[in-house]
Each structure stands twice: as C-alpha cells, then as structure tokens.
Amino acid sequence: DVKVTQSSRYLVKRTGEKVFLECVQDMDHENMFWYRQDPGLGLRLIYFSYDVKMKEKGDIPEGYSVSREKKERFSLILESASTNQTSMYLCASSLTSGRAGEQYFGPGTRLTVT
Amino acid sequence: AQKVTQAQTEISVVEKEDVTLDCVYETRDTTYYLFWYKQPPSGELVFLIRRNSFDEQNEISGRYSWNFQKSTSSFNFTITASQVVDSAVYFCALSEAFISSGSARQLTFGSGTQLTVLP
C-alpha cells in the first residue's frame, strides 16, 4: 500500500514565524502535491512537483513556497505565517503513468496561526 | 477551466436509508477522468472510484453505486442502506486525460458533501 506521511497532525504557530510542513511518500511516485482544505471551499491546490527540484504553482501559491530535494519528500514552507493561513494542509502523491492521476493522500496537518 | 460543483453541503440520513450525493462538472476537454474520494473524521482522503469519460456504464461496488451521465455532466454517488461508518465528507473531483511532458495530472475538487448517518 502507498503510504503518505506528514510530519505533524496538529501545529500551532505564531504570526510571523517560518513554518515547515513535511511530507514523505514511500512508493516512488513522481508527482507530489500540497493542498489546503477550508470549510465550504474543498481542496485547493497550492503547489505541485512532477520531479525532483521541479515545482509548479497551483491555484493559491501566494504566501507559500515548496522544496523537493529528494523524490520521496516534498516540503511546504510558510515564510511568514499569517492568521489567514490557519487551515488543514493535505499532501498527496501520484504516478505520472497509470492509474490516471489517482492521488494518495496523507492524514493532513491542521495548522493554527495565532 | 474545469469546475466541479457539489451543491449539497450537508446531508443527514437515518441508518439504512439510501442517499445520493450529487456532482456536476464543467470541462472543455472531450476526454477526462472523474473521481470520488471519502474523507472520514480521521482526515485522510480515501480513493473510492475513477471513471473515464468515454465509459458511461454505471458501476456498483457493494453498497456503493455511481451514475455517470455525460449528457448532463453529472457523476452522482449513491450509498444503499447507509451505515454510521459512512459518515464522512465526500469529494467529487475531475482531471484532464492528457498532460504534456514535464507536468502532472491535477485534480479539481468540488467543495465536498458532509454526510451524517444517524443510528
């Protein structure tokens, strides 16, 4: 089974702090994604990566950056956390070929910025 | 641009009732994929089904069934004889079929339907 793990289930940070959210997958997937989930808005794509060191902006990249130095790890960085970044963050991975884009998700990190 | 609409924000049913979750989508692509995911209270999205746009046959898996109608751009999900364990948020999603090299197939999600099954 594909396993996607996220470094924390719950995180509380102060406004202005630099925040790192880590995601690791163990199935050699080429693609990795970061979403945020907010009530009534569903999942919105922040950034994705289709290869090591490659990244693409999603629908809401402002205030975020990402890093993918190794194939299995994809980090989401909040350079200066703000209260409007309080949300549930979900990481996912997928293969480029086969299974038509089916994504496997981690358990999520609920981030609160105070 | 692609769009997925799940008009039902919340649904509440009593155990053993049947329930249908609606999904309407918009896309300019002639070939695409549709998905349903389940998000239980634990938070992790679980894949339920993927459907090709050129395959309009309905699908049944146990108590779950899916009705894909290309003419109305809908991909509805029915749970028969609902159980308390079915309580979750359900997401419908859409992706393009073909992608260029140096990219990844992205999913466009609906806003989700919170299903509560009461004992």
Side-chain angles (χ1 to χ4, degrees):
Chain A
D1 280 352
V2 176
K3 191 71 174 178
V4 180
T5 57
Q6 296 184 229
S7 50
S8 305
R9 290 301 304 269
Y10 299 94
L11 210 51
V12 179
K13 295 291 181 181
R14 294 194 180 277
T15 302
E17 277 193 79
K18 190 169 186 175
V19 181
F20 292 87
L21 302 182
E22 304 287 339
C23 175
V24 177
Q25 51 93 4
D26 66 357
M27 284 301 291
D28 205 34
H29 283 179
E30 295 92 350
N31 309 313
M32 297 188 74
F33 306 82
W34 274 107
Y35 296 90
R36 65 175 282 175
Q37 180 181 1
D38 301 288
L41 298 177
L43 277 70
R44 292 180 293 167
L45 183 63
I46 304 172
Y47 268 96
F48 68 96
S49 168
Y50 55 88
D51 201 351
V52 175
K53 297 190 184 295
M54 305 306 290
K55 59 186 179 185
E56 292 287 340
K57 293 180 180 179
D59 299 320
I60 51 165
E62 296 77 19
Y64 303 94
S65 62
V66 291
S67 172
R68 194 167 180 202
E69 296 297 317
K70 294 185 178 181
K71 191 175 186 179
E72 66 271 19
R73 187 180 297 271
F74 192 36
S75 303
L76 180 68
I77 304 157
L78 287 68
E79 294 289 342
S80 178
S82 63
T83 54
N84 62 14
Q85 292 178 310
T86 291
S87 186
M88 168 73 95
Y89 290 87
L90 293 165
C91 177
S93 70
S94 73
L95 285 168
T96 294
S97 59
R99 293 208 170 266
E102 177 183 331
Q103 295 182 14
Y104 298 84
F105 285 82
T109 296
R110 188 166 293 282
L111 173 67
T112 302
V113 182
T114 61
Chain B
Q2 299 184 327
K3 184 179 179 181
V4 177
T5 301
Q6 294 179 256
Q8 303 152 309
T9 305
E10 296 181 20
I11 299 176
S12 184
V13 299
V14 177
E15 204 168 22
K16 296 185 184 177
E17 286 185 5
D18 298 348
V19 58
T20 296
L21 309 182
D22 297 334
C23 174
V24 175
Y25 62 91
E26 297 174 28
T27 180
R28 293 178 184 173
D29 295 335
T30 54
T31 307
Y32 46 89
Y33 294 104
L34 293 161
F35 301 78
W36 276 96
Y37 281 85
K38 174 182 179 180
Q39 185 180 39
S42 61
E44 185 171 331
L45 268 77
V46 177
F47 167 80
L48 294 178
I49 190 173
R50 175 187 62 252
R51 174 50 51 98
N52 292 326
S53 56
F54 50 83
D55 180 4
E56 290 195 64
Q57 280 194 349
N58 291 331
E59 184 158 341
I60 298 174
S61 176
R63 296 184 297 107
Y64 294 170
S65 62
W66 291 269
N67 182 359
F68 175 35
Q69 292 196 350
K70 207 166 182 178
S71 60
T72 57
S73 298
S74 65
F75 186 43
N76 296 338
F77 173 31
T78 297
I79 302 174
T80 302
S82 60
Q83 299 176 2
V84 173
V85 293
D86 296 327
S87 296
V89 181
Y90 290 87
F91 290 97
C92 181
L94 168 70
S95 80
E96 58 203 333
F98 302 108
I99 56 171
S100 54
S101 61
S103 187
R105 190 173 282 109
Q106 301 170 48
L107 294 178
T108 299
F109 285 87
S111 56
T113 298
Q114 170 73 61
L115 173 65
T116 301
V117 181
L118 302 169

